[in-house]
Amino acid sequence: MTTATHDLLGRPAEEAARLIALDHLDAAAEGLRRLADPDDAEALHDFRVALRRLRSSLRAYRPYLRRSLPKKLRRQLRELAAATTVGRDTEVQLEWLAKTAHKKKLNPRQRPGLRWLVDRLEQRRQDAYRHIRGQVAAEFAHLRRRLTRRLSVYQAPVRRDHATALRSFAQVTAELVHTHVADLEDHLQHVRSPADETEAHQARISAKRLRYLLEPLRAQVPACAAAIAHMKQLQEVLGDLHDAVVLADQIRPAVEEAAAERARQVHDLAVADSPTDARTGSDARPGLLALARLVKQRRDKRFGDLEAHFLAGRGDALFAELRQIAYRLAASGGDDETGARIYLLRALPERAAAAEPVEIEVGFLPGQTIEEQVRRVSEPAGERCQRIVRARDGAVVEPIESPVFRALWPLTAGRRVRFQSYAIGQDAASWDIRKLRDRELCLAVARPLVDAAALEVPDWLAPYLVREVTEEPELRLRALAH
């Protein structure tokens, strides 16, 4: 079963993170298996991407996986991923050189330089493949067994500090998305010219990590699909910039090597007893220098694309789109009153009325010591159901199938509440505006994504505010149910 079939949002963060990591492990194993087929041009790419996704997810959710991932295991995984870099970079370089040759951008005098470089890169690619199929494959098989064993089982101790122990995957991921967006914005702000290679590379890494956070949620958060497509476009532009820098770094020493090789040929010709005793081969230098100019043109063109679509405020729509996803995730964590601040409103704010509402039904099962509720969330993309159990030491959110919800719902008669939920993002907080279906009552539930102490009521909400009611139990969902 893959994460695409899981309801990840309401699961405990540690459980969902493990499911995602195990899926990435399986994908890496499949990519490595395909490497045995010499005609499978995407095998190494898919293996490498799966490893990157695995490392990225383990890094993002490290606080929830710490007991299963000792430092030695993380180091081995990092070294394994690094061992694939040369092979993949060389493949990308050969592909670009093949396109350059196909477009006939080099004249006959320059083409020997292209062949000279291709021959050396092809040898490097073959050496890298042998290493990956041999040592890397063996090390990955061993590492996969250890990781699978460690990620498949975990302990969940009962803690009174449930704010960190029992947080949902949606809430944790909302904070991660918000932090990664800020990180990406910061790096892009420092990219002002093609020479800002370090910041552009860091922006590329941030974009990649952000995209990997969103991909497992594509089926459950409809807005993720468009955001992922935009992130892929940004990642491709930044990736092309990085590939141009790497290829330029390959050509520079190649020119020096070709010059030394040419000097030896000329020397041998000069000291030969007769012209037939030594011959000079084709000079690779003109072709290599021409390739260096083409690489620079490629870099400048891709920087122009980056500037036109993502720099100087042109990426603000994308960043707003990503933050809205973070706000929606924060609002869908299930146990949404734990750690939240709640406000009574005099009416539905104008800004909320312009947003698309989500219909939520909550029913409480009989019981006093343990509070148990079932919840159905109806969105344009479909519905999802949850069972939430809250005891003295915290809450557990469990996804359930629709038939289970329908079987439990009759037991909640007389203890139900229905409301429309409007998710609105503001700076580093998610605001969930709730309008009850059966009475004139509006509440605002605020979930800080970063610093709870810095939470402020936004200007668009202030005119509708009556008072904060976080400490008034009669305005909690359980008390409102009837």
Side-chain angles (χ1 to χ4, degrees):
M1 181 179 291
T2 65
T3 52
T5 62
H6 296 315
D7 181 354
L8 295 173
L9 301 182
R11 291 179 184 267
E14 185 165 2
E15 179 183 350
R18 288 169 182 272
L19 287 169
I20 291 172
L22 288 168
D23 277 359
H24 292 329
L25 263 179
D26 290 344
E30 175 61 17
L32 191 60
R33 182 193 64 77
R34 288 164 43 206
L35 269 173
D37 181 0
D39 296 326
D40 193 335
E42 295 299 318
L44 177 58
H45 172 266
D46 292 346
F47 173 61
R48 181 167 163 76
V49 168
L51 281 183
R52 284 204 308 255
R53 285 179 171 137
L54 173 61
R55 291 190 61 227
S56 185
S57 64
L58 295 180
R59 177 184 181 275
Y61 300 103
R62 185 181 299 174
Y64 300 90
L65 302 172
R66 197 180 304 278
R67 292 188 301 273
S68 298
L69 294 172
K71 186 180 295 185
K72 181 179 179 181
L73 204 58
R74 296 199 305 271
R75 175 178 55 78
Q76 290 174 338
L77 188 59
R78 181 178 66 250
E79 292 172 351
L80 195 67
T84 67
T85 300
V86 172
R88 183 55 187 167
D89 284 351
T90 306
E91 275 193 346
V92 171
Q93 292 158 12
L94 285 168
E95 182 180 352
W96 183 79
L97 291 172
K99 290 179 180 178
T100 300
H102 180 70
K103 292 179 180 178
K104 299 180 180 179
K105 291 187 175 182
L106 302 181
N107 61 41
R109 182 169 174 265
Q110 296 166 340
R111 295 184 75 81
L114 174 64
R115 292 193 295 270
W116 188 93
L117 184 58
V118 167
D119 288 344
R120 280 154 179 77
L121 290 176
E122 181 59 36
Q123 184 60 52
R124 180 180 298 172
R125 187 191 72 83
Q126 292 176 11
D127 292 343
Y129 261 67
R130 279 193 293 270
H131 178 61
I132 293 169
R133 291 191 182 107
Q135 184 176 343
V136 171
E139 291 177 356
F140 174 76
H142 176 67
L143 196 60
R144 183 192 181 197
R145 287 192 295 270
R146 294 181 62 194
L147 282 170
T148 300
R149 185 170 61 251
R150 285 178 168 273
L151 291 170
S152 297
V153 178
Y154 72 100
Q155 295 178 334
V158 176
R159 297 178 180 175
R160 294 186 184 278
D161 182 20
H162 60 271
T164 57
L166 294 170
R167 302 182 69 215
S168 75
F169 179 74
Q171 292 166 329
V172 171
T173 304
E175 294 174 8
L176 287 170
V177 170
H178 183 82
T179 301
H180 281 60
V181 171
D183 188 56
L184 175 59
E185 276 187 301
D186 181 64
H187 287 304
L188 285 177
Q189 286 173 0
H190 291 86
V191 179
R192 300 183 180 91
S193 76
D196 296 321
E197 298 166 0
T198 300
E199 286 294 343
H201 182 54
Q202 290 301 316
R204 172 175 171 256
I205 293 173
S206 295
K208 194 179 302 181
R209 289 173 176 168
L210 185 51
R211 179 182 162 198
Y212 292 163
L213 281 175
L214 298 179
E215 283 178 335
L217 305 176
R218 188 196 302 262
Q220 298 170 66
V221 183
C224 280
I228 290 170
H230 295 150
M231 291 301 300
K232 187 175 181 180
Q233 181 187 6
L234 172 59
Q235 189 178 330
E236 286 177 351
V237 174
L238 291 169
D240 284 349
L241 277 173
H242 176 69
D243 291 339
V245 171
V246 172
L247 184 53
D249 289 342
Q250 294 290 330
I251 293 175
R252 191 175 299 112
V255 172
E256 297 174 359
E257 183 183 344
E261 183 179 290
R262 184 65 173 174
R264 286 192 298 270
Q265 292 171 349
V266 172
H267 173 269
D268 292 344
L269 182 62
V271 301
D273 293 333
S274 67
T276 58
D277 292 338
R279 293 182 175 85
T280 58
S282 300
D283 190 352
R285 291 174 298 174
L288 292 173
L289 293 173
L291 287 172
R293 289 191 291 270
L294 290 173
V295 169
K296 182 180 182 301
Q297 292 172 12
R298 174 194 184 194
R299 183 198 68 171
D300 292 346
K301 180 181 183 303
R302 294 310 270 161
F303 179 80
D305 295 336
L306 179 68
E307 193 172 34
H309 295 98
F310 299 104
L311 300 185
R314 298 179 184 91
D316 289 351
L318 171 60
F319 301 137
E321 180 182 22
L322 291 166
R323 286 196 171 93
Q324 191 60 39
I325 290 173
Y327 303 140
R328 171 55 68 188
L329 285 171
S332 64
D335 183 36
D336 45 21
E337 292 183 323
T338 299
R341 291 173 65 176
I342 306 174
Y343 301 84
L344 177 64
L345 306 181
R346 64 182 81 258
L348 183 68
E350 182 179 351
R351 186 165 177 177
E356 185 175 17
V358 172
E359 298 287 341
I360 299 180
E361 301 170 274
V362 179
F364 292 86
L365 296 164
Q368 296 297 324
T369 305
I370 295 177
E371 178 186 293
E372 183 176 2
Q373 61 171 274
V374 289
R375 174 178 298 220
R376 178 162 57 193
V377 181
S378 301
E379 301 176 286
E383 71 172 34
R384 51 190 173 83
C385 303
Q386 299 167 327
R387 173 176 172 265
I388 303 171
V389 180
R390 182 187 289 112
R392 184 178 60 181
D393 290 309
V396 175
V397 182
E398 173 192 9
I400 57 176
E401 300 295 332
S402 294
V404 177
F405 173 86
R406 290 193 294 270
L408 293 174
W409 186 249
L411 302 178
T412 67
R415 294 176 293 274
R416 297 170 181 167
V417 58
R418 295 179 174 88
F419 57 91
Q420 291 179 314
S421 170
Y422 303 80
I424 301 174
Q426 177 72 31
D427 297 328
S430 166
W431 290 86
D432 178 17
I433 310 301
R434 296 176 171 178
K435 184 178 187 301
L436 270 67
R437 278 297 207 173
D438 60 350
R439 71 202 86 171
E440 291 298 322
L441 180 64
C442 284
L443 299 168
V445 180
R447 305 175 190 83
L449 297 179
V450 182
D451 184 7
L455 178 70
E456 295 182 358
V457 175
D459 292 341
W460 58 266
L461 184 62
Y464 300 89
L465 184 67
V466 177
R467 66 178 186 276
E468 182 172 356
V469 295
T470 305
E471 304 301 327
E472 298 182 27
E474 62 271 19
L475 288 175
R476 294 280 177 158
L477 286 181
R478 172 115 189 192
L480 295 172
H482 65 271

